[in-house]
Amino acid sequence: EIPDDVLAYKYKPSNPKVLESGNWSITVNNSNSVDVAADISTLTMYPPDGTDDISKAVNNLESAGTIPVIAAGNAGLLGQQTVGSPAVAENAITVGASEPNSLDVAYFSSRGPVDFGSDVRPGVDLIAPGVDIVSAGSPEAYPGDEPYVRASGTSMATPHVSGTIALMMAADSSLD
């Protein structure tokens, strides 16, 4: 955890499609009287653009009459363009998580946009409740007597959207 009085800056490349080579460095401003040591590792990320095989399969679900509702992912702390595959598929309804009793996106919820240039899409179509959601729990995954767990994530938000779509289609079968 980074102390409150340490400033950390995220590196933003001038061209996000090109991995910039060379020597990278990080500067930490420390106002403490004690030295701060940090182990830093980097990870090059190439945000998916919806052209991977799984995203293509999701795009083909529409022809089978299936509505793909997919969790955006929980990489929001990494910033923008953090929606993962297959949620980046163009035909997916991509769901982010909202904060409780709010229209604010949860801090952990992945964010768009998806792709680059003229093909940019928002990435997240809508948000739904995804913080401290009570859900059925597997005794193997969550040992104990309670059959329910309280969890947070975009995968907790996605069933709200799937259920709403199912209710809408049950009420009006002409919807597509």
Side-chain angles (χ1 to χ4, degrees), residues 11-25 42 44 46:
Y11 174 77
K12 184 173 182 175
S14 57
N15 181 350
K17 286 195 102 165
V18 177
L19 177 63
E20 295 182 9
S21 60
N23 296 322
W24 292 46
S25 65
T42 61
T44 303
Y46 295 98

Side-chain angles (χ1 to χ4, degrees), residues 126-150:
L126 49 94
I127 59 173
V131 176
D132 291 330
I133 303 299
V134 176
S135 181
S138 162
E140 287 80 27
Y142 301 97
D145 296 332
E146 283 294 319
Y148 301 100
V149 297
R150 185 174 296 274

Side-chain angles (χ1 to χ4, degrees), residues 16-132:
K17 286 195 102 165
V18 177
L19 177 63
E20 295 182 9
S21 60
N23 296 322
W24 292 46
S25 65
I26 186 168
T27 302
V28 177
N29 297 329
N30 179 13
S31 61
N32 294 326
S33 59
V34 180
D35 287 342
V36 174
D39 290 324
I40 298 171
S41 60
T42 61
L43 172 67
T44 303
M45 290 181 45
Y46 295 98
D49 62 2
T51 59
D52 60 281
D53 289 340
I54 296 173
S55 294
K56 288 177 183 176
V58 167
N59 286 334
N60 291 330
L61 288 174
E62 190 175 309
S63 63
T66 301
I67 301 170
V69 181
I70 302 175
N74 301 319
L77 289 174
L78 296 175
Q80 304 298 312
Q81 291 185 301
T82 53
V83 176
S85 178
V88 294
E90 193 168 355
N91 291 346
I93 296 174
T94 304
V95 182
S98 66
E99 292 288 347
N101 303 314
S102 173
L103 295 177
D104 293 335
V105 176
Y107 71 93
F108 57 80
S109 185
S110 290
R111 293 154 168 75
V114 172
D115 216 347
F116 305 95
S118 62
D119 296 330
V120 171
R121 299 184 308 279
V124 174
D125 296 304
L126 49 94
I127 59 173
V131 176
D132 291 330

